[in-house]
Amino acid sequence: MKKNNLVKKLMLAAVMLPLAVQAAQAAEMASFGEPPKDFKIDYQTEQTGMIMVELVPQKQTVDNWTQMITLQSMAGANLGAEEFRNNTANLWQNACPKSSFNPITEGEANGYSAAVWQLTCEYNPQTGKPEYTWFKAIQGDDSLYVKQYAFRYAPNKKEIHNALDQLRKFTVCDSSEQHLCSKNGK
């Protein structure tokens, strides 16, 4: 699929650069955090208000990966982080008979509704491999934002810690007092 350069530039800016705070800023924005150094953008799409970017290790592709980070922005989506989590868990469990769902946290991130959870598929029928994925969803005022970190093998404790650290660095902000953007994204 042909990559759209504008989307690539916008998502690279959102992924690679720290938040730039300006006095005139009013728009809601997501800071997905800096990806691991050995990851690259291998796929991106924009359709009907949804932007999705998939990152994989340098020598892998979205068709053949061991780890993947997925970033999503869904303009106008207002179902809430918890409902998105529940819908995702239901879809996952229908697609993978031997799956498990582990809610981790539910509450707020920078004043926005947020949820973090983990889904495991012991044997993905589509790939023949296991899949372990950690998710973080944040419901902004304007959009729903999601970051996922997936493994196609059982990750070790250090890899799980790194995946959760990636999710911790993901935030949404705007110029209001309730969701203020700061230099450190908190």
Side-chain angles (χ1 to χ4, degrees), residues 73-100:
S73 172
M74 294 166 254
N78 195 23
L79 62 152
E82 294 83 8
E83 186 173 343
F84 180 80
R85 178 200 61 205
N86 295 340
N87 291 346
T88 303
N90 288 335
L91 290 170
W92 185 287
Q93 291 170 330
N94 287 336
C96 180
K98 291 186 177 183
S99 62
S100 62

Side-chain angles (χ1 to χ4, degrees), residues 2-16 40-46 51-53:
K2 201 170 193 176
K3 294 180 181 178
N4 178 321
N5 285 337
L6 177 60
V7 173
K8 184 176 181 179
K9 287 177 186 174
L10 289 172
M11 292 312 295
L12 273 173
V15 172
M16 305 300 277
K40 65 176 181 177
I41 293 175
D42 197 58
Y43 176 78
Q44 58 201 3
T45 186
E46 180 179 6
I51 297 173
M52 182 174 72
V53 176

Side-chain angles (χ1 to χ4, degrees), residues 11-40:
M11 292 312 295
L12 273 173
V15 172
M16 305 300 277
L17 300 176
L19 289 174
V21 179
Q22 299 173 354
Q25 176 184 344
E28 182 175 276
M29 59 188 282
S31 173
F32 288 99
E34 196 169 319
K37 291 181 185 356
D38 59 338
F39 275 61
K40 65 176 181 177

Side-chain angles (χ1 to χ4, degrees), residues 110-159:
N110 196 27
Y112 289 111
S113 167
V116 178
W117 67 99
Q118 193 259 331
L119 293 169
T120 300
C121 179
E122 289 181 28
Y123 177 84
N124 184 330
Q126 293 180 337
T127 64
K129 298 176 183 178
E131 197 163 314
Y132 297 78
T133 305
W134 281 260
F135 297 78
K136 182 176 183 180
I138 301 173
Q139 179 63 64
D141 293 330
D142 303 329
S143 302
L144 177 68
Y145 305 92
V146 181
K147 184 172 184 176
Q148 303 171 37
Y149 200 119
F151 298 88
R152 278 195 173 151
Y153 59 89
N156 62 39
K157 286 182 182 182
K158 182 178 179 184
E159 291 170 319

